[in-house]
Amino acid sequence: QARLVESGGGSVQAGGSLTLSCSFSGYKFSSGCMGWLRQAPGKEREGVATIIRDGTTRYADSVRGRFTISVDNAKNSIGLQMINLQPEDTAMYYCAAAPFCSHLYENRPQYWGQGTQVTVTS
């Protein structure tokens, strides 16, 4: 059974930065896709950034240029560096995995973690 554990959330002022980390086990990243979803209060969960084993990345329009997803295959972890955070980035952020990256952008992850809260104040 796959297990994904997020860390690194917190509260920052607008314009600030945070880096999220996700350690995973029981999941074969040799195929498939991993990424980050987020869910803001009152909104549906949405795909934010994805990465596949060869390092190919994809981002939602709302975060492109501000967020960077990375993978450390040796440590079975992925990260999400977030800069220039804005109040609209406030959400619970989930590490997730799926057979295809499109599934993450369609909010159809196969596995996901408990989430880590990111709060951005103006």
Side-chain angles (χ1 to χ4, degrees), residues 32-81:
C33 180
M34 295 198 71
W36 293 89
L37 311 179
R38 69 183 181 185
Q39 186 167 21
K43 295 188 177 181
E44 289 196 1
R45 194 165 54 178
E46 61 176 355
V48 172
T50 55
I51 190 166
I52 59 176
R53 183 64 181 247
D54 69 359
T56 301
T57 59
R58 178 182 167 188
Y59 299 93
D61 290 343
S62 58
V63 306
R64 189 176 295 112
R66 300 187 298 121
F67 290 13
T68 302
I69 189 171
S70 60
V71 60
D72 186 333
N73 291 311
K75 295 183 178 180
N76 280 359
S77 68
I78 66 170
L80 186 68
Q81 183 182 25

Side-chain angles (χ1 to χ4, degrees), residues 37 44-47 58 100-109:
L37 311 179
E44 289 196 1
R45 194 165 54 178
E46 61 176 355
R58 178 182 167 188
F100 304 99
C101 291
S102 59
H103 290 187
L104 295 183
Y105 289 102
E106 294 165 1
N107 190 21
R108 293 192 291 135

Side-chain angles (χ1 to χ4, degrees), residues 82-98:
M82 307 181 292
I83 64 172
N84 192 22
L85 284 161
Q86 300 300 314
E88 53 266 33
D89 295 315
T90 295
M92 184 70 78
Y93 283 71
Y94 299 90
C95 177

